[in-house]
Amino acid sequence: MSNDGLGTVEQPPGVEQLEQLKDEYRRKNKALDAEREELEEAVRDRRYSPGQAEELSRRLEDSGRAVLDEVQARIDSHCIAYGLRDNSFSATWSEEE
């Protein structure tokens, strides 16, 4: 399936946008990891009491999970809309067309 004779395969519609969504998920997950590390450092430096640290950690995890879940929902919706499957961040397209 080559259009230019170089052996390239044209991607189905929606794959590029899916990759952008997955990049967004990865960026937000990295940001969450960085926030976790900052909080851990603050706890080690005793800037928070154990109770405060626990509450901050819980809030961070809850808000981080909400953000990641929202992006994942957009990924899932996009995959459904374009007939794509997102398997561990390796996009494939369904052959059920």
Side-chain angles (χ1 to χ4, degrees):
M1 289 186 195
S2 174
N3 290 341
D4 59 9
L6 298 176
T8 58
V9 176
E10 191 173 317
Q11 291 183 335
V15 171
E16 185 175 337
Q17 296 93 338
L18 176 60
E19 292 302 321
Q20 291 169 355
L21 287 168
K22 293 189 307 185
D23 286 344
E24 178 183 350
Y25 185 97
R26 283 189 281 272
R27 282 191 309 272
K28 290 185 183 220
N29 198 27
K30 278 179 110 174
L32 179 59
D33 287 344
E35 289 180 47
R36 280 187 195 112
E37 289 177 17
E38 287 178 26
L39 180 57
E40 288 172 6
E41 183 177 322
V43 169
R44 280 192 302 271
D45 291 345
R46 299 180 195 269
R47 287 183 262 172
Y48 300 109
S49 71
Q52 289 173 318
E54 187 175 316
E55 178 64 20
L56 288 170
S57 179
R58 186 189 59 74
R59 284 190 206 163
L60 177 62
E61 291 304 316
D62 289 348
S63 66
R65 177 55 35 211
V67 168
L68 293 177
D69 285 350
E70 184 270 328
V71 177
Q72 185 61 51
R74 289 174 34 218
I75 289 171
D76 294 343
S77 294
H78 185 81
C79 288
I80 291 168
Y82 285 91
L84 303 170
R85 291 187 314 252
D86 179 41
N87 299 324
S88 302
F89 287 121
S90 63
T92 59
W93 42 94
S94 72
E95 298 176 0
E96 299 173 4
E97 298 176 59

Coordinates of all heavy atoms in Angstrom, one line a residue:
M1 N 0.8 -1.2 0.0 CA 0.0 0.0 0.0 C 0.9 1.2 0.0 O 1.0 1.9 1.0 CB -0.9 0.0 1.2 CG -2.0 -1.0 1.2 SD -3.0 -0.6 2.7 CE -3.8 -2.2 2.7
S2 N 1.5 1.5 -1.1 CA 2.4 2.6 -1.1 C 1.9 3.6 -2.2 O 1.6 3.3 -3.3 CB 3.8 2.1 -1.5 OG 4.6 3.2 -1.7
N3 N 1.9 4.9 -1.7 CA 1.4 5.9 -2.7 C 2.6 6.5 -3.4 O 2.5 7.0 -4.5 CB 0.7 7.0 -1.9 CG -0.7 6.5 -1.4 OD1 -1.2 5.6 -1.9 ND2 -1.2 7.2 -0.4
D4 N 3.8 6.5 -2.8 CA 4.9 7.1 -3.4 C 6.0 6.2 -3.8 O 7.1 6.6 -4.3 CB 5.5 8.2 -2.4 CG 5.9 7.5 -1.1 OD1 6.0 6.3 -1.0 OD2 6.3 8.3 -0.2
G5 N 5.8 4.9 -3.8 CA 6.7 3.9 -4.2 C 7.8 3.7 -3.2 O 8.8 2.9 -3.4
L6 N 7.8 4.3 -2.0 CA 8.8 4.1 -1.0 C 8.4 3.2 0.1 O 9.2 3.0 1.1 CB 9.2 5.5 -0.4 CG 9.7 6.5 -1.4 CD1 10.0 7.9 -0.6 CD2 11.0 6.1 -2.0
G7 N 7.3 2.5 0.0 CA 6.9 1.5 1.0 C 6.2 2.2 2.1 O 6.0 1.5 3.2
T8 N 5.8 3.4 2.1 CA 5.1 4.0 3.2 C 3.6 3.6 3.1 O 3.0 3.5 2.1 CB 5.2 5.5 3.2 OG1 4.7 6.0 1.9 CG2 6.6 6.0 3.4
V9 N 3.0 3.5 4.3 CA 1.6 3.1 4.4 C 0.9 4.3 5.0 O 1.3 4.9 6.0 CB 1.4 1.9 5.3 CG1 0.0 1.6 5.5 CG2 2.2 0.7 4.8
E10 N -0.2 4.7 4.3 CA -1.0 5.8 4.7 C -1.8 5.4 6.0 O -2.4 4.3 6.1 CB -2.0 6.2 3.6 CG -2.7 7.5 3.9 CD -3.5 7.9 2.7 OE1 -3.0 7.8 1.6 OE2 -4.6 8.4 3.0
Q11 N -1.7 6.3 7.0 CA -2.4 6.0 8.3 C -3.9 6.3 8.1 O -4.2 7.3 7.4 CB -1.8 6.8 9.4 CG -0.4 6.5 9.8 CD 0.1 7.3 11.0 OE1 -0.4 8.4 11.2 NE2 1.0 6.7 11.7
P12 N -4.7 5.6 8.8 CA -6.1 5.9 8.7 C -6.4 7.2 9.4 O -5.6 7.7 10.2 CB -6.8 4.8 9.6 CG -5.7 3.8 9.7 CD -4.4 4.4 9.6
P13 N -7.6 7.8 9.1 CA -7.9 9.1 9.7 C -8.0 8.9 11.2 O -8.4 7.9 11.8 CB -9.3 9.4 9.2 CG -9.5 8.5 8.0 CD -8.6 7.3 8.2
G14 N -7.5 9.9 11.9 CA -7.6 10.0 13.4 C -6.4 9.5 14.1 O -6.2 9.8 15.3
V15 N -5.5 8.8 13.4 CA -4.3 8.3 14.1 C -3.4 9.4 14.6 O -2.9 9.4 15.7 CB -3.5 7.3 13.2 CG1 -2.2 7.0 13.8 CG2 -4.3 6.1 12.9
E16 N -3.2 10.5 13.8 CA -2.3 11.6 14.2 C -2.9 12.3 15.4 O -2.2 12.6 16.4 CB -2.2 12.6 13.0 CG -1.2 13.7 13.4 CD -1.0 14.6 12.2 OE1 -1.2 14.2 11.0 OE2 -0.6 15.8 12.4
Q17 N -4.2 12.5 15.4 CA -4.8 13.1 16.6 C -4.7 12.2 17.8 O -4.6 12.7 18.9 CB -6.3 13.5 16.3 CG -6.5 14.5 15.2 CD -6.7 13.8 13.8 OE1 -6.3 12.7 13.6 NE2 -7.3 14.6 12.9
L18 N -4.8 10.9 17.6 CA -4.7 10.0 18.7 C -3.3 10.1 19.3 O -3.1 10.2 20.5 CB -5.0 8.6 18.3 CG -4.8 7.5 19.3 CD1 -5.7 7.7 20.5 CD2 -5.0 6.1 18.7
E19 N -2.3 10.2 18.5 CA -0.9 10.4 19.0 C -0.8 11.7 19.8 O -0.1 11.7 20.8 CB 0.1 10.4 17.8 CG 0.2 9.0 17.1 CD 0.6 7.9 18.1 OE1 1.4 8.1 19.0 OE2 0.0 6.8 17.9
Q20 N -1.5 12.7 19.3 CA -1.4 14.0 20.1 C -2.1 13.8 21.5 O -1.6 14.4 22.5 CB -2.1 15.1 19.3 CG -1.3 15.5 18.0 CD -2.1 16.4 17.1 OE1 -3.3 16.7 17.3 NE2 -1.5 16.9 16.1
L21 N -3.2 13.1 21.5 CA -3.8 12.9 22.8 C -3.0 12.1 23.7 O -2.9 12.3 24.9 CB -5.2 12.2 22.6 CG -6.3 13.1 22.0 CD1 -7.5 12.2 21.6 CD2 -6.8 14.1 23.0
K22 N -2.3 11.1 23.2 CA -1.4 10.2 24.0 C -0.2 11.0 24.5 O 0.2 10.8 25.6 CB -1.0 9.0 23.2 CG -2.2 8.0 22.9 CD -1.7 6.7 22.3 CE -0.9 6.8 21.1 NZ -0.6 5.5 20.5
D23 N 0.3 11.9 23.6 CA 1.4 12.8 24.1 C 0.9 13.7 25.2 O 1.6 13.9 26.2 CB 1.9 13.7 22.9 CG 2.7 12.9 21.9 OD1 3.2 11.8 22.3 OD2 2.9 13.4 20.8
E24 N -0.3 14.2 25.1 CA -0.9 15.0 26.2 C -1.0 14.2 27.5 O -0.6 14.7 28.6 CB -2.3 15.5 25.8 CG -2.9 16.4 26.9 CD -4.3 16.8 26.5 OE1 -4.8 16.7 25.4 OE2 -5.0 17.3 27.5
Y25 N -1.4 13.0 27.4 CA -1.5 12.1 28.6 C -0.1 11.9 29.2 O 0.0 12.0 30.4 CB -2.1 10.7 28.2 CG -2.4 9.8 29.4 CD1 -3.6 9.7 29.9 CD2 -1.3 9.0 29.9 CE1 -3.9 8.9 31.0 CE2 -1.6 8.2 31.0 CZ -2.8 8.1 31.5 OH -3.0 7.3 32.6
R26 N 0.9 11.6 28.4 CA 2.2 11.4 28.9 C 2.8 12.7 29.5 O 3.4 12.6 30.6 CB 3.1 11.0 27.7 CG 3.0 9.5 27.4 CD 4.0 9.0 26.4 NE 3.8 9.4 25.0 CZ 3.1 8.8 24.1 NH1 2.5 7.6 24.5 NH2 3.0 9.2 22.9
R27 N 2.5 13.9 28.9 CA 3.0 15.1 29.5 C 2.4 15.3 30.9 O 3.0 15.7 31.9 CB 2.7 16.3 28.6 CG 3.6 16.4 27.5 CD 3.4 17.8 26.8 NE 2.1 18.1 26.4 CZ 1.5 17.7 25.3 NH1 2.1 17.0 24.4 NH2 0.2 18.0 25.0
K28 N 1.0 15.1 31.0 CA 0.4 15.3 32.3 C 0.8 14.3 33.3 O 0.9 14.6 34.5 CB -1.2 15.3 32.0 CG -1.6 16.5 31.3 CD -3.1 16.7 31.1 CE -3.4 17.9 30.3 NZ -4.5 18.6 30.7
N29 N 1.1 13.1 32.9 CA 1.5 12.1 33.8 C 2.9 12.4 34.3 O 3.2 12.3 35.5 CB 1.5 10.7 33.1 CG 1.6 9.6 34.1 OD1 1.1 9.7 35.3 ND2 2.1 8.4 33.7
K30 N 3.8 12.9 33.5 CA 5.1 13.4 33.9 C 5.0 14.5 34.9 O 5.8 14.6 35.9 CB 6.0 13.8 32.7 CG 6.6 12.7 31.9 CD 7.4 13.2 30.8 CE 8.9 13.0 31.0 NZ 9.7 13.4 29.9
A31 N 4.1 15.5 34.6 CA 3.9 16.6 35.5 C 3.4 16.1 36.9 O 3.9 16.6 37.9 CB 2.9 17.6 34.9
L32 N 2.6 15.1 36.9 CA 2.1 14.6 38.2 C 3.2 13.9 38.9 O 3.4 14.1 40.1 CB 1.0 13.6 37.9 CG 0.4 12.9 39.1 CD1 -0.2 13.9 40.1 CD2 -0.7 11.9 38.7
D33 N 4.1 13.2 38.2 CA 5.2 12.5 38.8 C 6.2 13.6 39.4 O 6.7 13.4 40.5 CB 6.0 11.7 37.8 CG 5.3 10.4 37.4 OD1 4.4 10.0 38.1 OD2 5.7 9.9 36.3
A34 N 6.4 14.7 38.7 CA 7.2 15.8 39.3 C 6.6 16.4 40.5 O 7.3 16.7 41.5 CB 7.4 16.9 38.2
E35 N 5.3 16.6 40.5 CA 4.6 17.1 41.7 C 4.7 16.1 42.9 O 4.9 16.5 44.0 CB 3.1 17.4 41.4 CG 2.9 18.6 40.5 CD 1.5 18.8 40.2 OE1 0.7 18.8 41.2 OE2 1.1 19.0 39.1
R36 N 4.6 14.8 42.6 CA 4.8 13.8 43.7 C 6.2 13.9 44.3 O 6.4 13.9 45.5 CB 4.6 12.4 43.1 CG 3.2 12.0 42.9 CD 3.2 10.5 42.5 NE 1.9 10.1 42.0 CZ 1.7 9.8 40.7 NH1 2.7 9.8 39.8 NH2 0.5 9.4 40.4
E37 N 7.2 14.1 43.4 CA 8.6 14.2 43.9 C 8.8 15.4 44.7 O 9.5 15.4 45.7 CB 9.6 14.2 42.7 CG 9.7 12.8 42.0 CD 10.6 12.8 40.8 OE1 11.4 13.8 40.6 OE2 10.5 11.9 40.0
E38 N 8.2 16.5 44.3 CA 8.3 17.8 45.1 C 7.7 17.6 46.4 O 8.2 18.0 47.5 CB 7.6 18.9 44.3 CG 8.4 19.4 43.1 CD 7.6 20.5 42.4 OE1 6.8 21.2 43.1 OE2 7.8 20.7 41.2
L39 N 6.5 16.9 46.5 CA 5.9 16.7 47.8 C 6.7 15.8 48.6 O 6.9 16.0 49.8 CB 4.5 16.1 47.6 CG 3.7 15.8 48.8 CD1 3.5 17.0 49.7 CD2 2.3 15.2 48.5
E40 N 7.3 14.7 48.1 CA 8.1 13.8 48.8 C 9.3 14.6 49.4 O 9.7 14.4 50.6 CB 8.6 12.7 48.0 CG 7.5 11.7 47.7 CD 7.9 10.6 46.6 OE1 9.1 10.6 46.2 OE2 7.0 9.9 46.2
E41 N 9.9 15.5 48.6 CA 11.0 16.3 49.1 C 10.6 17.2 50.2 O 11.3 17.3 51.2 CB 11.6 17.1 48.0 CG 12.8 17.9 48.4 CD 13.4 18.6 47.2 OE1 13.4 18.1 46.1 OE2 13.9 19.8 47.4
A42 N 9.4 17.8 50.1 CA 8.9 18.7 51.2 C 8.7 17.9 52.5 O 9.0 18.4 53.6 CB 7.6 19.4 50.7
V43 N 8.2 16.7 52.3 CA 8.0 15.8 53.5 C 9.3 15.5 54.1 O 9.5 15.5 55.4 CB 7.2 14.5 53.1 CG1 7.2 13.5 54.3 CG2 5.8 14.9 52.7
R44 N 10.3 15.1 53.3 CA 11.6 14.8 53.9 C 12.3 16.0 54.6 O 13.0 15.8 55.6 CB 12.6 14.3 52.7 CG 12.4 12.9 52.3 CD 13.5 12.4 51.4 NE 13.6 13.2 50.2 CZ 13.0 13.0 49.1 NH1 12.2 12.0 49.0 NH2 13.2 13.7 48.0
D45 N 12.0 17.2 54.0 CA 12.5 18.4 54.7 C 11.6 18.9 55.8 O 11.9 19.9 56.4 CB 12.6 19.5 53.6 CG 13.6 19.3 52.6 OD1 14.5 18.4 52.8 OD2 13.6 20.0 51.5
R46 N 10.6 18.1 56.2 CA 9.7 18.3 57.3 C 9.0 19.7 57.2 O 8.8 20.4 58.2 CB 10.5 18.2 58.6 CG 11.1 16.9 58.8 CD 11.9 16.8 60.1 NE 12.7 15.6 60.2 CZ 12.4 14.5 60.7 NH1 11.2 14.3 61.1 NH2 13.2 13.5 60.7
R47 N 8.7 20.0 56.0 CA 7.9 21.3 55.8 C 6.4 21.1 56.1 O 5.7 22.0 56.2 CB 8.0 21.8 54.4 CG 9.4 22.4 54.1 CD 9.5 22.9 52.7 NE 10.2 21.9 51.9 CZ 10.3 22.0 50.6 NH1 9.8 23.0 49.9 NH2 10.9 21.1 49.9
Y48 N 6.0 19.8 56.2 CA 4.6 19.5 56.6 C 4.6 18.4 57.7 O 5.5 17.6 57.8 CB 3.9 18.9 55.3 CG 3.8 19.8 54.2 CD1 4.6 19.5 53.0 CD2 3.0 20.9 54.2 CE1 4.5 20.3 51.9 CE2 3.0 21.7 53.1 CZ 3.7 21.4 51.9 OH 3.7 22.3 50.9
S49 N 3.6 18.5 58.5 CA 3.4 17.5 59.5 C 3.0 16.2 58.8 O 2.5 16.3 57.6 CB 2.3 17.9 60.5 OG 1.1 17.9 59.9
P50 N 3.1 15.1 59.4 CA 2.6 13.8 58.8 C 1.2 13.9 58.3 O 0.8 13.4 57.3 CB 2.9 12.8 59.9 CG 4.0 13.3 60.7 CD 3.8 14.8 60.7
G51 N 0.3 14.5 59.2 CA -1.1 14.6 58.8 C -1.3 15.5 57.6 O -2.1 15.2 56.7
Q52 N -0.6 16.6 57.5 CA -0.6 17.5 56.4 C -0.1 16.8 55.1 O -0.7 16.9 54.0 CB 0.2 18.8 56.6 CG -0.4 19.7 57.6 CD 0.6 20.9 57.9 OE1 1.8 20.6 58.1 NE2 0.0 22.1 58.0
A53 N 1.0 16.1 55.3 CA 1.6 15.4 54.1 C 0.7 14.4 53.6 O 0.5 14.3 52.3 CB 2.9 14.8 54.5
E54 N 0.0 13.7 54.5 CA -0.9 12.6 54.0 C -2.1 13.3 53.2 O -2.5 12.8 52.2 CB -1.5 11.8 55.2 CG -2.3 10.6 54.8 CD -2.7 9.8 56.0 OE1 -1.8 9.5 56.8 OE2 -3.9 9.4 56.1
E55 N -2.6 14.3 53.8 CA -3.8 15.0 53.1 C -3.3 15.6 51.8 O -4.1 15.5 50.8 CB -4.3 16.1 54.0 CG -5.4 16.9 53.4 CD -6.7 16.1 53.1 OE1 -6.9 15.0 53.7 OE2 -7.5 16.6 52.3
L56 N -2.2 16.2 51.7 CA -1.7 16.8 50.4 C -1.4 15.7 49.4 O -1.8 15.8 48.2 CB -0.4 17.6 50.7 CG -0.5 18.9 51.4 CD1 0.8 19.5 51.8 CD2 -1.3 19.9 50.5
S57 N -0.9 14.6 49.9 CA -0.7 13.5 49.0 C -2.0 12.9 48.4 O -2.1 12.6 47.2 CB 0.1 12.3 49.7 OG 0.3 11.2 48.9
R58 N -3.0 12.8 49.3 CA -4.3 12.3 48.8 C -4.9 13.2 47.8 O -5.4 12.8 46.8 CB -5.2 12.1 50.0 CG -6.6 11.5 49.7 CD -7.6 11.5 50.8 NE -7.9 12.8 51.3 CZ -8.7 13.7 50.6 NH1 -9.2 13.4 49.5 NH2 -8.9 14.9 51.1
R59 N -4.8 14.5 48.1 CA -5.4 15.5 47.2 C -4.7 15.5 45.8 O -5.3 15.6 44.8 CB -5.3 16.9 47.8 CG -6.3 17.2 48.8 CD -6.3 18.7 49.1 NE -6.8 18.9 50.5 CZ -6.6 20.0 51.1 NH1 -5.9 21.0 50.6 NH2 -7.1 20.2 52.4
L60 N -3.4 15.4 45.9 CA -2.6 15.3 44.7 C -3.0 14.1 43.8 O -3.2 14.2 42.6 CB -1.1 15.3 45.0 CG -0.1 15.2 43.8 CD1 -0.3 16.4 42.9 CD2 1.3 15.1 44.3
E61 N -3.1 13.0 44.5 CA -3.4 11.7 43.8 C -4.8 11.8 43.2 O -5.1 11.4 42.0 CB -3.3 10.5 44.7 CG -1.9 10.2 45.0 CD -1.0 10.0 43.8 OE1 -1.4 9.3 42.8 OE2 0.2 10.5 43.8
D62 N -5.8 12.4 44.0 CA -7.1 12.5 43.5 C -7.2 13.5 42.3 O -7.9 13.1 41.3 CB -8.1 13.0 44.6 CG -8.3 12.0 45.7 OD1 -8.0 10.8 45.5 OD2 -8.9 12.3 46.7
S63 N -6.6 14.6 42.4 CA -6.7 15.6 41.3 C -5.9 15.1 40.1 O -6.3 15.2 38.9 CB -6.2 17.0 41.7 OG -4.8 16.9 42.0
G64 N -4.8 14.4 40.3 CA -4.0 13.9 39.2 C -4.7 12.8 38.5 O -4.8 12.7 37.3
R65 N -5.4 11.9 39.2 CA -6.2 10.8 38.6 C -7.3 11.4 37.8 O -7.6 11.0 36.7 CB -6.7 9.9 39.7 CG -7.6 8.8 39.3 CD -7.0 7.8 38.2 NE -5.6 7.6 38.2 CZ -4.9 7.3 37.1 NH1 -5.5 7.3 35.9 NH2 -3.6 7.0 37.2
A66 N -8.0 12.5 38.3 CA -9.1 13.1 37.6 C -8.6 13.7 36.3 O -9.3 13.5 35.3 CB -9.7 14.2 38.5
V67 N -7.4 14.3 36.3 CA -6.9 14.9 35.0 C -6.6 13.8 34.1 O -6.9 13.8 32.9 CB -5.6 15.8 35.4 CG1 -4.9 16.1 34.1 CG2 -6.1 17.0 36.1
L68 N -5.9 12.7 34.5 CA -5.5 11.6 33.6 C -6.7 10.9 33.1 O -6.8 10.5 32.0 CB -4.5 10.7 34.3 CG -3.1 11.3 34.7 CD1 -2.3 10.3 35.4 CD2 -2.4 11.8 33.4
D69 N -7.7 10.7 34.0 CA -8.9 10.0 33.6 C -9.7 10.8 32.5 O -10.2 10.2 31.6 CB -9.9 9.8 34.8 CG -9.4 8.7 35.7 OD1 -8.5 7.9 35.3 OD2 -10.0 8.6 36.8
E70 N -9.6 12.1 32.6 CA -10.3 13.0 31.6 C -9.6 12.8 30.2 O -10.3 12.7 29.2 CB -10.3 14.4 32.1 CG -11.0 15.4 31.1 CD -10.1 16.0 30.0 OE1 -8.9 16.2 30.3 OE2 -10.6 16.2 28.9
V71 N -8.3 12.8 30.2 CA -7.6 12.7 29.0 C -7.8 11.3 28.4 O -8.0 11.1 27.2 CB -6.1 13.0 29.1 CG1 -5.3 12.7 27.8 CG2 -5.8 14.4 29.6
Q72 N -7.8 10.2 29.3 CA -8.0 8.9 28.9 C -9.4 8.7 28.3 O -9.6 8.0 27.3 CB -7.8 7.9 30.0 CG -8.0 6.4 29.6 CD -6.9 6.0 28.5 OE1 -5.7 6.3 28.7 NE2 -7.3 5.5 27.4
A73 N -10.4 9.4 28.9 CA -11.8 9.4 28.3 C -11.8 10.0 26.9 O -12.5 9.5 26.0 CB -12.7 10.1 29.2
R74 N -11.0 11.1 26.7 CA -11.0 11.7 25.4 C -10.3 10.7 24.4 O -10.7 10.6 23.2 CB -10.2 13.0 25.4 CG -11.1 14.1 26.1 CD -10.4 15.4 26.4 NE -9.5 15.8 25.4 CZ -8.3 16.5 25.7 NH1 -8.0 16.7 26.9 NH2 -7.5 16.8 24.7
I75 N -9.2 10.0 24.8 CA -8.6 9.0 24.0 C -9.6 7.9 23.6 O -9.7 7.6 22.4 CB -7.3 8.4 24.7 CG1 -6.2 9.5 24.8 CG2 -6.8 7.2 24.0 CD1 -5.1 9.1 25.7
D76 N -10.3 7.4 24.6 CA -11.3 6.3 24.3 C -12.3 6.8 23.4 O -12.7 6.1 22.4 CB -11.9 5.9 25.7 CG -10.9 5.2 26.6 OD1 -9.8 4.8 26.1 OD2 -11.2 5.1 27.8
S77 N -12.9 8.0 23.6 CA -13.9 8.5 22.7 C -13.4 8.7 21.3 O -14.1 8.4 20.3 CB -14.4 9.9 23.2 OG -15.1 9.7 24.4
H78 N -12.1 9.2 21.2 CA -11.5 9.4 19.8 C -11.4 8.0 19.1 O -11.7 7.9 17.9 CB -10.2 10.1 20.0 CG -9.5 10.4 18.7 ND1 -9.9 11.5 18.0 CD2 -8.6 9.8 18.0 CE1 -9.1 11.6 16.9 NE2 -8.3 10.5 16.9
C79 N -10.9 7.0 19.9 CA -10.7 5.7 19.3 C -12.1 5.1 18.8 O -12.1 4.6 17.7 CB -10.1 4.7 20.3 SG -8.4 5.1 20.6
I80 N -13.1 5.3 19.6 CA -14.4 4.9 19.1 C -14.9 5.6 17.9 O -15.4 5.0 16.9 CB -15.5 5.0 20.3 CG1 -15.1 4.0 21.4 CG2 -16.9 4.8 19.8 CD1 -15.9 4.3 22.7
A81 N -14.7 6.9 17.9 CA -15.2 7.7 16.8 C -14.5 7.4 15.5 O -15.1 7.4 14.4 CB -15.0 9.2 17.1
Y82 N -13.2 7.0 15.6 CA -12.4 6.7 14.3 C -12.2 5.2 14.1 O -11.4 4.8 13.2 CB -11.1 7.4 14.4 CG -11.2 8.9 14.1 CD1 -11.4 9.8 15.1 CD2 -11.2 9.4 12.8 CE1 -11.6 11.2 14.9 CE2 -11.4 10.7 12.5 CZ -11.5 11.6 13.6 OH -11.7 12.9 13.3
G83 N -12.8 4.4 15.0 CA -12.6 2.9 14.8 C -11.2 2.5 15.1 O -10.7 1.5 14.5
L84 N -10.5 3.1 16.0 CA -9.2 2.8 16.4 C -9.2 2.1 17.7 O -10.1 2.2 18.5 CB -8.3 4.1 16.5 CG -8.3 5.0 15.3 CD1 -7.6 6.3 15.7 CD2 -7.5 4.3 14.2
R85 N -8.1 1.4 18.0 CA -7.9 0.7 19.3 C -6.7 1.3 19.9 O -5.7 1.5 19.2 CB -7.8 -0.8 19.2 CG -9.0 -1.5 18.8 CD -8.8 -3.0 18.8 NE -7.6 -3.4 18.2 CZ -7.5 -4.1 17.1 NH1 -8.6 -4.4 16.4 NH2 -6.3 -4.4 16.6
D86 N -6.7 1.6 21.1 CA -5.5 2.1 21.8 C -5.0 1.1 22.8 O -5.5 0.9 23.9 CB -5.8 3.4 22.6 CG -4.6 4.0 23.3 OD1 -3.5 3.9 22.7 OD2 -4.8 4.4 24.4
N87 N -4.0 0.3 22.4 CA -3.5 -0.8 23.2 C -2.2 -0.4 23.8 O -1.2 -0.3 23.1 CB -3.3 -2.1 22.4 CG -4.6 -2.6 21.8 OD1 -5.6 -2.5 22.4 ND2 -4.5 -3.1 20.6
S88 N -2.2 0.0 25.1 CA -1.0 0.4 25.8 C -0.2 1.5 25.0 O 1.0 1.4 24.8 CB -0.1 -0.8 26.0 OG -0.7 -1.8 26.8
F89 N -1.0 2.4 24.5 CA -0.4 3.5 23.8 C 0.3 3.1 22.5 O 1.1 3.8 21.9 CB 0.6 4.3 24.6 CG -0.1 5.1 25.7 CD1 0.2 4.9 27.0 CD2 -1.1 6.1 25.3 CE1 -0.5 5.6 28.0 CE2 -1.7 6.8 26.3 CZ -1.4 6.6 27.6
S90 N -0.1 2.0 21.9 CA 0.3 1.7 20.5 C -0.9 1.6 19.7 O -1.7 0.7 19.8 CB 1.1 0.5 20.5 OG 0.3 -0.6 20.9
A91 N -1.2 2.7 18.9 CA -2.4 2.8 18.2 C -2.4 1.7 17.0 O -1.5 1.6 16.3 CB -2.6 4.1 17.6
T92 N -3.6 1.1 16.9 CA -3.8 0.2 15.8 C -5.2 0.5 15.3 O -6.0 1.1 16.0 CB -3.7 -1.3 16.2 OG1 -4.7 -1.5 17.2 CG2 -2.3 -1.7 16.6
W93 N -5.5 0.2 14.1 CA -6.8 0.4 13.7 C -7.5 -0.9 13.5 O -6.9 -1.9 13.1 CB -6.8 1.3 12.4 CG -5.8 0.9 11.4 CD1 -5.9 0.1 10.3 CD2 -4.5 1.4 11.4 NE1 -4.7 0.0 9.7 CE2 -3.8 0.8 10.3 CE3 -3.7 2.2 12.2 CZ2 -2.5 1.0 9.9 CZ3 -2.4 2.5 11.8 CH2 -1.8 1.9 10.7
S94 N -8.8 -0.9 13.7 CA -9.6 -2.1 13.6 C -9.8 -2.5 12.1 O -9.9 -1.6 11.3 CB -10.9 -2.0 14.3 OG -11.8 -1.1 13.6
E95 N -9.9 -3.7 11.9 CA -10.1 -4.2 10.5 C -11.6 -4.5 10.2 O -11.9 -5.3 9.4 CB -9.2 -5.4 10.2 CG -7.8 -5.0 10.4 CD -6.9 -6.3 10.2 OE1 -7.4 -7.4 10.0 OE2 -5.7 -6.1 10.3
E96 N -12.5 -4.0 11.1 CA -13.9 -4.3 11.0 C -14.6 -3.4 10.1 O -15.8 -3.3 10.1 CB -14.5 -4.3 12.4 CG -13.9 -5.2 13.3 CD -14.4 -5.0 14.8 OE1 -15.2 -4.2 15.0 OE2 -13.9 -5.7 15.6
E97 N -14.0 -2.7 9.2 CA -14.6 -1.7 8.4 C -15.3 -2.3 7.2 O -15.1 -3.2 6.6 CB -13.6 -0.7 7.9 CG -13.0 0.1 9.0 CD -11.9 1.0 8.6 OE1 -12.2 1.9 7.8 OE2 -10.7 0.8 9.0

